[in-house]
Amino acid sequence: MTSDATDGSTADAIVVGAGPGGSATAAWLAKAGKDVVLLEKAQFPRDKICGDGLTPRAVRQLVHLGVPLDETDGWAHNKGLRIIGGGMRLQLDWPDVTSFPATGMVRARADLDEVLARHAQSAGATLLEGRNAHEPILDEHGRIEGVVAKVVDERGRATGEKETYRAPVVVAADGVSSRLSVKMGREKREDRPMAVAVRAYYETPRHDDEYLESHLELWSSTPSGERILMPGYGWLFGLGDGRSNVGLGVLNTSEAFGRTDYKDVMRRWVETMPPEWGINADTMQGSITAAALPMAFNRQPLYDRGLMLVGDAGGMVNPFNGEGIDYALEAGHAAADTILQGLARRDADGRERVLASYAETMKQMHGGYFTLGAQFAKLIGRPEIMRLATKYGLPRKTLMHFMLKLMANLPEEKGGGLDDRLVHLMTRMAPNA
Ligand SMILES: Cc1cc2nc3c(=O)[nH]c(=O)nc-3n(C[C@H](O)[C@H](O)[C@H](O)COP(=O)(O)OP(=O)(O)OC[C@H]3O[C@@H](n4cnc5c(N)ncnc54)[C@H](O)[C@@H]3O)c2cc1C
Protein backbone atom coordinates (compact mmCIF):
# COMPACT_ATOMS: atom_id res chain seq x y z
CA MET A 1 0.00 0.00 0.00
CA THR A 2 2.77 2.43 0.81
CA SER A 3 5.57 1.10 -1.39
CA ASP A 4 5.09 3.80 -4.04
CA ALA A 5 4.96 6.61 -1.44
CA THR A 6 7.83 8.79 -0.24
CA ASP A 7 8.45 8.80 3.49
CA GLY A 8 7.35 12.22 4.74
CA SER A 9 8.08 12.33 8.42
CA THR A 10 7.44 10.84 11.82
CA ALA A 11 5.81 13.15 14.37
CA ASP A 12 4.20 13.09 17.82
CA ALA A 13 0.79 13.55 16.20
CA ILE A 14 -0.71 13.87 12.74
CA VAL A 15 -3.78 16.04 12.25
CA VAL A 16 -5.75 15.58 9.02
CA GLY A 17 -7.71 18.67 7.97
CA ALA A 18 -6.94 22.30 8.76
CA GLY A 19 -10.45 23.59 9.46
CA PRO A 20 -11.08 25.15 12.90
CA GLY A 21 -10.98 21.74 14.64
CA GLY A 22 -7.70 20.57 13.10
CA SER A 23 -5.93 23.90 13.41
CA ALA A 24 -6.95 24.25 17.06
CA THR A 25 -5.70 20.72 17.83
CA ALA A 26 -2.40 21.40 16.07
CA ALA A 27 -1.98 24.83 17.71
CA TRP A 28 -2.50 23.45 21.23
CA LEU A 29 -0.10 20.56 20.63
CA ALA A 30 2.53 22.83 19.11
CA LYS A 31 2.20 25.35 21.96
CA ALA A 32 3.02 22.46 24.34
CA GLY A 33 6.18 21.76 22.32
CA LYS A 34 4.95 18.69 20.44
CA ASP A 35 6.00 17.85 16.91
CA VAL A 36 2.71 17.96 15.00
CA VAL A 37 2.07 17.64 11.27
CA LEU A 38 -1.13 19.31 10.00
CA LEU A 39 -2.16 17.98 6.59
CA GLU A 40 -4.67 19.97 4.52
CA LYS A 41 -5.85 18.88 1.10
CA ALA A 42 -6.66 22.41 -0.10
CA GLN A 43 -4.37 25.45 -0.38
CA PHE A 44 -5.18 28.56 1.64
CA PRO A 45 -7.08 30.74 1.24
CA ARG A 46 -9.85 28.21 0.61
CA ASP A 47 -13.59 28.60 1.01
CA LYS A 48 -15.84 26.50 3.26
CA ILE A 49 -19.62 26.60 2.95
CA CYS A 50 -20.72 28.17 6.23
CA GLY A 51 -22.73 31.00 7.78
CA ASP A 52 -19.48 32.52 9.13
CA GLY A 53 -21.21 33.30 12.47
CA LEU A 54 -19.31 33.05 15.75
CA THR A 55 -21.25 33.25 19.00
CA PRO A 56 -19.50 34.13 22.30
CA ARG A 57 -18.78 30.42 22.81
CA ALA A 58 -16.54 30.44 19.73
CA VAL A 59 -15.05 33.82 20.62
CA ARG A 60 -14.03 32.44 24.02
CA GLN A 61 -12.02 29.71 22.29
CA LEU A 62 -10.35 32.21 19.96
CA VAL A 63 -9.40 34.34 22.97
CA HIS A 64 -8.03 31.25 24.66
CA LEU A 65 -5.94 30.36 21.61
CA GLY A 66 -4.47 33.87 21.60
CA VAL A 67 -5.78 34.91 18.18
CA PRO A 68 -5.78 38.74 17.75
CA LEU A 69 -9.47 39.71 17.58
CA ASP A 70 -9.68 43.47 17.04
CA GLU A 71 -11.89 44.96 14.35
CA THR A 72 -8.64 46.19 12.77
CA ASP A 73 -7.61 42.52 12.48
CA GLY A 74 -10.61 41.97 10.17
CA TRP A 75 -13.29 40.77 12.61
CA ALA A 76 -16.86 42.10 12.49
CA HIS A 77 -18.02 42.22 16.11
CA ASN A 78 -21.69 41.90 17.09
CA LYS A 79 -23.76 42.46 20.22
CA GLY A 80 -26.39 39.75 20.05
CA LEU A 81 -29.14 38.12 18.08
CA ARG A 82 -32.25 39.56 16.42
CA ILE A 83 -35.04 37.04 15.93
CA ILE A 84 -37.82 37.64 13.43
CA GLY A 85 -40.93 35.49 13.11
CA GLY A 86 -44.67 35.29 13.77
CA GLY A 87 -44.97 39.03 13.10
CA MET A 88 -42.49 39.70 15.95
CA ARG A 89 -39.03 41.18 16.02
CA LEU A 90 -36.96 40.58 19.12
CA GLN A 91 -33.45 41.86 19.75
CA LEU A 92 -31.48 40.05 22.45
CA ASP A 93 -28.00 40.99 23.62
CA TRP A 94 -25.54 38.15 24.27
CA PRO A 95 -25.90 37.09 27.91
CA ASP A 96 -23.86 39.10 30.39
CA VAL A 97 -22.01 36.24 32.12
CA THR A 98 -18.43 35.80 33.28
CA SER A 99 -17.94 32.46 31.51
CA PHE A 100 -18.29 33.95 28.01
CA PRO A 101 -17.51 37.31 26.42
CA ALA A 102 -20.62 39.34 25.51
CA THR A 103 -19.38 39.60 21.91
CA GLY A 104 -20.07 37.54 18.83
CA MET A 105 -18.23 37.86 15.53
CA VAL A 106 -18.51 37.20 11.84
CA ARG A 107 -15.59 36.34 9.61
CA ALA A 108 -15.64 34.77 6.14
CA ARG A 109 -14.32 31.22 6.39
CA ALA A 110 -11.90 31.92 3.55
CA ASP A 111 -10.15 34.23 6.08
CA LEU A 112 -10.98 32.57 9.41
CA ASP A 113 -9.59 29.17 8.49
CA GLU A 114 -6.38 30.62 7.11
CA VAL A 115 -5.94 32.77 10.24
CA LEU A 116 -6.30 29.66 12.41
CA ALA A 117 -4.03 27.48 10.26
CA ARG A 118 -1.32 30.18 10.22
CA HIS A 119 -1.77 30.57 13.99
CA ALA A 120 -1.03 26.83 14.40
CA GLN A 121 1.92 27.18 12.05
CA SER A 122 3.40 30.09 13.98
CA ALA A 123 2.98 28.10 17.20
CA GLY A 124 5.29 25.49 15.60
CA ALA A 125 3.00 23.06 13.78
CA THR A 126 4.19 21.83 10.38
CA LEU A 127 1.35 22.84 8.06
CA LEU A 128 1.41 21.02 4.72
CA GLU A 129 -1.17 22.21 2.20
CA GLY A 130 -2.11 20.25 -0.91
CA ARG A 131 -1.97 16.91 0.96
CA ASN A 132 -5.03 14.67 0.63
CA ALA A 133 -4.56 12.23 3.50
CA HIS A 134 -6.94 9.62 2.18
CA GLU A 135 -5.54 6.31 3.45
CA PRO A 136 -4.71 5.05 6.94
CA ILE A 137 -1.56 3.00 7.48
CA LEU A 138 -2.42 0.18 9.89
CA ASP A 139 -0.20 -1.98 12.09
CA GLU A 140 -0.73 -5.74 12.47
CA HIS A 141 -3.50 -5.14 15.08
CA GLY A 142 -5.47 -2.79 12.84
CA ARG A 143 -4.36 0.30 14.79
CA ILE A 144 -3.62 3.39 12.73
CA GLU A 145 0.05 4.33 12.75
CA GLY A 146 0.08 6.91 10.01
CA VAL A 147 -1.50 8.12 6.79
CA VAL A 148 -0.75 8.13 3.09
CA ALA A 149 -1.27 11.53 1.51
CA LYS A 150 -1.73 12.21 -2.17
CA VAL A 151 -0.03 15.44 -3.18
CA VAL A 152 -2.49 17.73 -4.99
CA ASP A 153 -1.86 20.95 -6.87
CA GLU A 154 -3.56 24.29 -6.23
CA ARG A 155 -6.48 23.26 -8.49
CA GLY A 156 -7.06 20.12 -6.44
CA ARG A 157 -5.63 17.73 -9.07
CA ALA A 158 -3.49 14.81 -7.92
CA THR A 159 0.12 15.20 -9.05
CA GLY A 160 0.69 11.44 -8.81
CA GLU A 161 3.07 11.85 -5.84
CA LYS A 162 2.29 10.17 -2.52
CA GLU A 163 3.83 10.68 0.91
CA THR A 164 3.56 8.82 4.20
CA TYR A 165 3.38 10.37 7.67
CA ARG A 166 3.62 8.37 10.88
CA ALA A 167 2.74 9.13 14.51
CA PRO A 168 1.46 7.36 17.64
CA VAL A 169 -1.87 9.14 17.25
CA VAL A 170 -3.82 10.51 14.28
CA VAL A 171 -6.59 13.10 14.50
CA ALA A 172 -9.35 13.04 11.89
CA ALA A 173 -10.48 16.66 11.59
CA ASP A 174 -11.40 16.21 7.95
CA GLY A 175 -14.96 17.46 8.11
CA VAL A 176 -18.44 16.04 7.62
CA SER A 177 -17.50 13.25 5.15
CA SER A 178 -14.36 12.24 7.14
CA ARG A 179 -13.03 9.78 4.59
CA LEU A 180 -10.32 8.76 7.03
CA SER A 181 -12.90 7.70 9.64
CA VAL A 182 -14.88 5.82 7.01
CA LYS A 183 -11.72 3.97 5.93
CA MET A 184 -11.32 2.99 9.61
CA GLY A 185 -14.89 1.60 9.62
CA ARG A 186 -16.54 4.53 11.35
CA GLU A 187 -19.67 5.31 9.37
CA LYS A 188 -22.08 8.03 10.44
CA ARG A 189 -24.98 7.09 12.71
CA GLU A 190 -28.46 7.44 11.29
CA ASP A 191 -30.11 7.94 14.70
CA ARG A 192 -28.77 11.49 15.06
CA PRO A 193 -30.21 14.64 13.48
CA MET A 194 -28.58 16.16 10.42
CA ALA A 195 -29.28 19.43 8.70
CA VAL A 196 -28.70 20.82 5.25
CA ALA A 197 -27.86 24.47 4.85
CA VAL A 198 -27.39 26.76 1.86
CA ARG A 199 -25.73 30.14 1.74
CA ALA A 200 -24.50 32.92 -0.53
CA TYR A 201 -22.74 36.26 -0.14
CA TYR A 202 -24.55 39.48 -1.11
CA GLU A 203 -23.35 43.06 -1.33
CA THR A 204 -25.73 44.95 0.92
CA PRO A 205 -26.03 48.11 3.02
CA ARG A 206 -26.89 45.75 5.90
CA HIS A 207 -23.31 44.46 6.03
CA ASP A 208 -22.50 46.35 9.24
CA ASP A 209 -25.50 45.19 11.28
CA GLU A 210 -24.51 45.00 14.96
CA TYR A 211 -26.74 41.95 15.50
CA LEU A 212 -26.84 38.52 13.92
CA GLU A 213 -30.30 38.19 12.43
CA SER A 214 -32.32 35.00 12.27
CA HIS A 215 -35.67 34.47 10.55
CA LEU A 216 -37.79 31.67 11.94
CA GLU A 217 -40.37 31.46 9.21
CA LEU A 218 -39.15 29.55 6.19
CA TRP A 219 -41.85 28.29 3.91
CA SER A 220 -41.78 25.54 1.35
CA SER A 221 -44.67 24.01 -0.54
CA THR A 222 -45.72 20.49 -1.50
CA PRO A 223 -46.41 19.56 -5.16
CA SER A 224 -50.15 20.00 -4.34
CA GLY A 225 -49.44 23.59 -3.28
CA GLU A 226 -49.76 23.10 0.50
CA ARG A 227 -47.46 25.49 2.39
CA ILE A 228 -45.09 23.88 4.93
CA LEU A 229 -43.28 25.70 7.72
CA MET A 230 -39.73 24.32 7.67
CA PRO A 231 -37.90 23.33 10.88
CA GLY A 232 -34.91 25.61 10.72
CA TYR A 233 -34.07 29.24 10.24
CA GLY A 234 -32.74 31.74 7.77
CA TRP A 235 -29.89 34.09 8.66
CA LEU A 236 -28.29 37.38 7.69
CA PHE A 237 -24.81 37.79 9.14
CA GLY A 238 -23.02 41.04 8.31
CA LEU A 239 -19.33 40.70 7.48
CA GLY A 240 -18.64 44.43 7.86
CA ASP A 241 -16.81 44.53 4.50
CA GLY A 242 -19.77 45.42 2.28
CA ARG A 243 -21.12 41.85 2.28
CA SER A 244 -23.54 39.76 4.30
CA ASN A 245 -23.64 35.99 4.50
CA VAL A 246 -27.26 35.03 3.84
CA GLY A 247 -28.47 31.48 4.16
CA LEU A 248 -30.84 28.99 5.66
CA GLY A 249 -30.59 25.65 7.38
CA VAL A 250 -33.23 22.95 7.64
CA LEU A 251 -33.30 19.92 9.94
CA ASN A 252 -33.84 16.40 8.62
CA THR A 253 -36.56 15.82 11.22
CA SER A 254 -39.34 17.14 9.01
CA GLU A 255 -41.25 15.12 6.45
CA ALA A 256 -40.30 17.60 3.74
CA PHE A 257 -36.58 16.91 4.23
CA GLY A 258 -34.93 15.42 1.17
CA ARG A 259 -37.95 16.33 -0.98
CA THR A 260 -37.23 20.04 -0.90
CA ASP A 261 -35.09 22.15 -3.20
CA TYR A 262 -33.37 24.30 -0.56
CA LYS A 263 -31.69 26.57 -3.07
CA ASP A 264 -35.14 27.33 -4.42
CA VAL A 265 -36.50 28.00 -0.90
CA MET A 266 -33.57 30.39 -0.47
CA ARG A 267 -34.19 32.17 -3.79
CA ARG A 268 -37.86 32.61 -2.90
CA TRP A 269 -37.04 33.85 0.59
CA VAL A 270 -34.55 36.39 -0.78
CA GLU A 271 -37.25 37.65 -3.19
CA THR A 272 -39.44 38.56 -0.20
CA MET A 273 -36.76 40.82 1.34
CA PRO A 274 -37.29 44.60 1.34
CA PRO A 275 -35.68 46.22 -1.75
CA GLU A 276 -33.69 48.67 0.42
CA TRP A 277 -31.64 45.74 1.75
CA GLY A 278 -30.27 45.36 -1.75
CA ILE A 279 -30.21 41.58 -1.40
CA ASN A 280 -31.12 40.10 -4.77
CA ALA A 281 -29.80 38.06 -7.67
CA ASP A 282 -27.81 41.08 -8.96
CA THR A 283 -25.93 41.65 -5.70
CA MET A 284 -25.18 37.97 -5.11
CA GLN A 285 -21.48 37.14 -5.29
CA GLY A 286 -20.77 33.67 -6.61
CA SER A 287 -23.58 31.13 -6.29
CA ILE A 288 -25.81 29.55 -3.65
CA THR A 289 -23.94 26.57 -2.24
CA ALA A 290 -25.12 23.78 0.07
CA ALA A 291 -23.56 21.43 2.62
CA ALA A 292 -24.58 19.11 5.46
CA LEU A 293 -24.29 19.66 9.22
CA PRO A 294 -23.61 16.50 11.25
CA MET A 295 -25.07 16.74 14.75
CA ALA A 296 -25.02 15.24 18.23
CA PHE A 297 -21.93 13.02 17.85
CA ASN A 298 -23.21 11.26 14.76
CA ARG A 299 -19.92 9.43 14.25
CA GLN A 300 -18.56 7.28 17.04
CA PRO A 301 -16.49 6.09 18.79
CA LEU A 302 -14.69 9.40 19.09
CA TYR A 303 -11.48 7.48 19.79
CA ASP A 304 -10.52 3.99 18.72
CA ARG A 305 -7.36 2.26 17.49
CA GLY A 306 -5.22 5.40 17.38
CA LEU A 307 -7.76 7.61 15.55
CA MET A 308 -9.39 10.55 17.36
CA LEU A 309 -12.31 12.45 15.81
CA VAL A 310 -12.56 16.24 16.13
CA GLY A 311 -15.29 18.62 14.94
CA ASP A 312 -17.61 17.67 12.06
CA ALA A 313 -15.72 14.38 11.62
CA GLY A 314 -17.24 13.38 14.97
CA GLY A 315 -20.61 15.05 14.27
CA MET A 316 -20.16 17.85 16.78
CA VAL A 317 -22.65 20.42 15.47
CA ASN A 318 -25.12 21.78 18.05
CA PRO A 319 -28.62 20.52 17.06
CA PHE A 320 -30.25 23.57 18.66
CA ASN A 321 -28.70 26.15 16.34
CA GLY A 322 -26.38 24.53 13.78
CA GLU A 323 -23.18 25.96 15.22
CA GLY A 324 -20.12 23.80 14.77
CA ILE A 325 -17.08 26.09 14.78
CA ASP A 326 -17.05 26.51 18.57
CA TYR A 327 -17.52 22.79 19.19
CA ALA A 328 -14.71 21.97 16.72
CA LEU A 329 -12.42 24.46 18.54
CA GLU A 330 -13.33 23.02 21.94
CA ALA A 331 -12.83 19.45 20.74
CA GLY A 332 -9.43 20.44 19.34
CA HIS A 333 -8.44 21.70 22.77
CA ALA A 334 -9.70 18.55 24.54
CA ALA A 335 -8.04 16.29 21.94
CA ALA A 336 -4.69 18.05 22.33
CA ASP A 337 -4.88 17.85 26.15
CA THR A 338 -5.64 14.13 25.98
CA ILE A 339 -2.85 13.48 23.47
CA LEU A 340 -0.34 15.36 25.66
CA GLN A 341 -1.27 13.24 28.66
CA GLY A 342 -1.26 10.06 26.58
CA LEU A 343 2.17 10.73 25.07
CA ALA A 344 3.57 11.31 28.56
CA ARG A 345 2.81 7.68 29.53
CA ARG A 346 5.74 5.31 29.17
CA ASP A 347 3.76 2.13 28.59
CA ALA A 348 1.61 1.44 25.55
CA ASP A 349 -1.38 0.25 27.60
CA GLY A 350 -1.37 3.35 29.77
CA ARG A 351 -1.11 5.57 26.70
CA GLU A 352 -3.99 3.80 25.02
CA ARG A 353 -6.20 4.13 28.10
CA VAL A 354 -5.54 7.86 28.29
CA LEU A 355 -6.21 8.36 24.57
CA ALA A 356 -9.46 6.40 24.87
CA SER A 357 -10.61 8.73 27.67
CA TYR A 358 -11.13 11.46 25.02
CA ALA A 359 -14.50 9.91 24.07
CA GLU A 360 -15.72 10.13 27.67
CA THR A 361 -14.33 13.68 28.06
CA MET A 362 -16.28 14.85 25.04
CA LYS A 363 -19.46 13.13 26.21
CA GLN A 364 -19.12 14.71 29.63
CA MET A 365 -18.73 18.10 27.94
CA HIS A 366 -21.60 17.88 25.47
CA GLY A 367 -23.33 14.46 25.56
CA GLY A 368 -26.38 15.47 27.61
CA TYR A 369 -26.67 18.83 25.85
CA PHE A 370 -26.56 17.22 22.40
CA THR A 371 -29.21 14.66 23.44
CA LEU A 372 -31.43 17.52 24.55
CA GLY A 373 -30.77 19.28 21.24
CA ALA A 374 -31.61 16.13 19.30
CA GLN A 375 -34.97 15.92 21.11
CA PHE A 376 -35.61 19.60 20.36
CA ALA A 377 -34.79 18.94 16.68
CA LYS A 378 -37.31 16.11 16.63
CA LEU A 379 -40.01 18.29 18.22
CA ILE A 380 -39.66 21.22 15.85
CA GLY A 381 -39.68 18.81 12.92
CA ARG A 382 -43.46 18.84 13.40
CA PRO A 383 -44.76 21.98 11.68
CA GLU A 384 -47.58 22.46 14.22
CA ILE A 385 -45.03 22.56 17.08
CA MET A 386 -42.80 24.95 15.16
CA ARG A 387 -45.82 27.19 14.55
CA LEU A 388 -46.86 27.12 18.21
CA ALA A 389 -43.28 27.78 19.40
CA THR A 390 -42.99 30.81 17.11
CA LYS A 391 -46.45 32.14 18.01
CA TYR A 392 -46.31 31.75 21.79
CA GLY A 393 -42.56 31.76 22.48
CA LEU A 394 -41.40 34.89 20.69
CA PRO A 395 -43.68 37.39 22.50
CA ARG A 396 -42.24 36.29 25.87
CA LYS A 397 -38.96 38.12 26.29
CA THR A 398 -37.90 36.36 29.51
CA LEU A 399 -38.50 33.00 27.90
CA MET A 400 -36.54 34.08 24.84
CA HIS A 401 -33.57 35.22 26.98
CA PHE A 402 -33.59 31.75 28.49
CA MET A 403 -33.90 30.12 25.05
CA LEU A 404 -30.90 32.13 23.81
CA LYS A 405 -28.81 30.84 26.72
CA LEU A 406 -30.02 27.31 26.09
CA MET A 407 -29.79 27.25 22.30
CA ALA A 408 -26.44 29.04 22.00
CA ASN A 409 -25.18 27.07 25.03
CA LEU A 410 -24.14 30.15 26.98
CA PRO A 411 -25.06 29.51 30.62
CA GLU A 412 -22.82 30.80 33.38
CA GLU A 413 -20.61 27.80 34.10
CA LYS A 414 -20.21 28.29 37.82
CA GLY A 415 -23.03 29.69 39.94
CA GLY A 416 -25.24 31.99 37.92
CA GLY A 417 -28.96 32.64 38.19
CA LEU A 418 -31.98 30.40 38.03
CA ASP A 419 -31.93 30.26 34.23
CA ASP A 420 -28.26 29.19 34.15
CA ARG A 421 -28.93 26.49 36.71
CA LEU A 422 -31.97 25.31 34.77
CA VAL A 423 -29.88 24.88 31.59
CA HIS A 424 -27.34 22.81 33.56
CA LEU A 425 -30.07 20.75 35.21
CA MET A 426 -31.76 19.95 31.89
CA THR A 427 -28.39 19.02 30.37
CA ARG A 428 -27.49 16.78 33.31
CA MET A 429 -30.85 15.00 33.20
CA ALA A 430 -30.57 14.16 29.49
CA PRO A 431 -28.88 10.82 28.73
CA ASN A 432 -25.25 11.12 27.74
CA ALA A 433 -25.42 9.29 24.42
C1 LIG B 1 -24.20 26.27 5.20
C2 LIG B 1 -23.57 26.08 6.58
C3 LIG B 1 -23.62 27.12 7.49
C4 LIG B 1 -22.98 27.00 8.73
N1 LIG B 1 -22.95 28.08 9.55
C5 LIG B 1 -22.27 28.02 10.71
C6 LIG B 1 -22.13 29.18 11.52
O1 LIG B 1 -22.58 30.28 11.17
N2 LIG B 1 -21.45 29.06 12.68
C7 LIG B 1 -20.91 27.88 13.10
O2 LIG B 1 -20.32 27.83 14.19
N3 LIG B 1 -21.01 26.76 12.32
C8 LIG B 1 -21.64 26.81 11.14
N4 LIG B 1 -21.70 25.70 10.34
C9 LIG B 1 -21.00 24.48 10.76
C10 LIG B 1 -19.48 24.62 10.53
O3 LIG B 1 -19.24 25.02 9.21
C11 LIG B 1 -18.74 23.33 10.84
O4 LIG B 1 -19.26 22.74 12.00
C12 LIG B 1 -17.24 23.57 11.02
O5 LIG B 1 -16.67 23.99 9.80
C13 LIG B 1 -16.52 22.31 11.51
O6 LIG B 1 -15.14 22.52 11.51
P1 LIG B 1 -14.14 21.29 11.26
O7 LIG B 1 -12.77 21.82 11.48
O8 LIG B 1 -14.58 20.11 12.03
O9 LIG B 1 -14.35 20.86 9.74
P2 LIG B 1 -14.19 21.72 8.37
O10 LIG B 1 -14.35 23.15 8.65
O11 LIG B 1 -15.08 21.05 7.41
O12 LIG B 1 -12.68 21.46 7.99
C14 LIG B 1 -12.25 20.22 7.49
C15 LIG B 1 -10.94 20.44 6.74
O13 LIG B 1 -10.42 19.17 6.36
C16 LIG B 1 -9.91 19.24 5.03
N5 LIG B 1 -9.92 17.88 4.52
C17 LIG B 1 -10.98 17.10 4.20
N6 LIG B 1 -10.56 15.89 3.78
C18 LIG B 1 -9.21 15.91 3.84
C19 LIG B 1 -8.20 14.95 3.51
N7 LIG B 1 -8.50 13.74 3.04
N8 LIG B 1 -6.89 15.29 3.69
C20 LIG B 1 -6.57 16.52 4.17
N9 LIG B 1 -7.48 17.47 4.48
C21 LIG B 1 -8.78 17.16 4.32
C22 LIG B 1 -10.90 20.19 4.34
O14 LIG B 1 -10.33 20.74 3.17
C23 LIG B 1 -11.11 21.23 5.44
O15 LIG B 1 -10.14 22.24 5.40
C24 LIG B 1 -22.34 25.78 9.09
C25 LIG B 1 -22.32 24.71 8.18
C26 LIG B 1 -22.94 24.84 6.96
C27 LIG B 1 -22.89 23.69 5.98
Side-chain angles (χ1 to χ4, degrees), residues 116-422:
L116 292 175
R118 301 280 173 236
H119 185 74
Q121 195 175 30
S122 50
T126 305
L127 169 68
L128 297 170
E129 298 167 60
R131 301 296 191 289
N132 181 349
H134 64 300
E135 192 77 50
I137 304 171
L138 304 180
D139 69 10
E140 67 275 23
H141 307 294
R143 188 183 189 283
I144 192 167
E145 57 177 18
V147 291
V148 183
K150 278 191 227 167
V151 180
V152 289
D153 65 18
E154 61 285 348
R155 295 167 77 183
R157 292 174 310 201
T159 62
E161 273 176 86
K162 284 183 186 176
E163 295 166 350
T164 60
Y165 296 89
R166 288 171 200 272
V169 59
V170 177
V171 175
D174 50 349
V176 58
S177 321
S178 191
R179 305 244 182 270
L180 198 59
S181 307
V182 173
K183 287 261 171 78
M184 292 284 288
R186 264 174 266 180
E187 298 287 346
K188 65 179 168 29
R189 296 174 61 140
E190 301 297 338
D191 61 343
R192 303 293 150 116
M194 285 279 286
V196 166
V198 295
R199 72 97 164 95
Y201 291 108
Y202 294 84
E203 271 179 55
T204 164
R206 298 209 49 196
H207 72 104
D208 55 1
D209 194 343
E210 288 186 318
Y211 287 80
L212 298 180
E213 187 165 290
S214 72
H215 292 245
L216 297 189
E217 276 176 291
L218 295 176
W219 294 93
S220 174
S221 47
T222 62
S224 62
E226 188 203 346
R227 289 180 87 216
I228 307 173
L229 183 58
M230 311 288 289
Y233 67 91
W235 69 79
L236 276 88
F237 296 166
L239 284 147
D241 63 356
R243 297 175 300 160
S244 284
N245 181 319
V246 180
L248 59 90
V250 178
L251 284 157
N252 70 347
T253 48
S254 88
E255 264 184 54
F257 189 85
R259 294 190 283 122
T260 306
D261 178 348
Y262 300 106
K263 292 185 185 173
D264 188 53
V265 176
M266 164 105 170
R267 269 181 224 108
R268 283 190 282 140
W269 176 48
V270 163
E271 277 170 17
T272 65
M273 291 179 185
E276 60 275 19
W277 292 3
I279 297 177
N280 53 54
D282 295 335
T283 57
M284 185 167 79
Q285 298 190 330
S287 54
I288 302 175
T289 47
L293 293 92
M295 298 172 159
F297 295 140
N298 85 334
R299 199 189 303 277
Q300 297 188 31
L302 297 175
Y303 175 83
D304 187 38
R305 291 181 294 136
L307 187 71
M308 203 169 262
L309 314 189
V310 162
D312 277 12
M316 296 183 190
V317 171
N318 179 353
F320 279 111
N321 67 358
E323 266 187 281
I325 298 172
D326 33 8
Y327 298 92
L329 294 170
E330 289 180 15
H333 196 185
D337 267 356
T338 314
I339 293 169
L340 288 174
Q341 296 301 329
L343 293 178
R345 297 297 168 103
R346 285 159 184 256
D347 60 308
D349 278 358
R351 184 185 71 196
E352 205 54 29
R353 250 184 299 123
V354 174
L355 293 177
S357 71
Y358 168 73
E360 191 49 36
T361 302
M362 289 309 298
K363 290 211 173 164
Q364 290 290 336
M365 279 165 70
H366 300 308
Y369 180 78
F370 281 174
T371 303
L372 211 59
Q375 285 161 358
F376 172 85
K378 214 174 192 172
L379 262 182
I380 67 163
R382 292 167 51 194
E384 68 278 17
I385 303 270
M386 183 74 186
R387 204 173 297 123
L388 285 173
T390 313
K391 188 169 170 195
Y392 295 106
L394 274 183
R396 291 170 173 76
K397 201 159 181 182
T398 314
L399 173 67
M400 290 313 292
H401 273 290
F402 170 75
M403 288 308 286
L404 180 63
K405 269 193 184 170
L406 174 67
M407 294 180 70
N409 202 1
L410 296 172
E412 189 72 275
E413 289 184 338
K414 292 185 189 90
L418 192 61
D419 50 351
D420 303 288
R421 291 202 294 275
L422 187 57

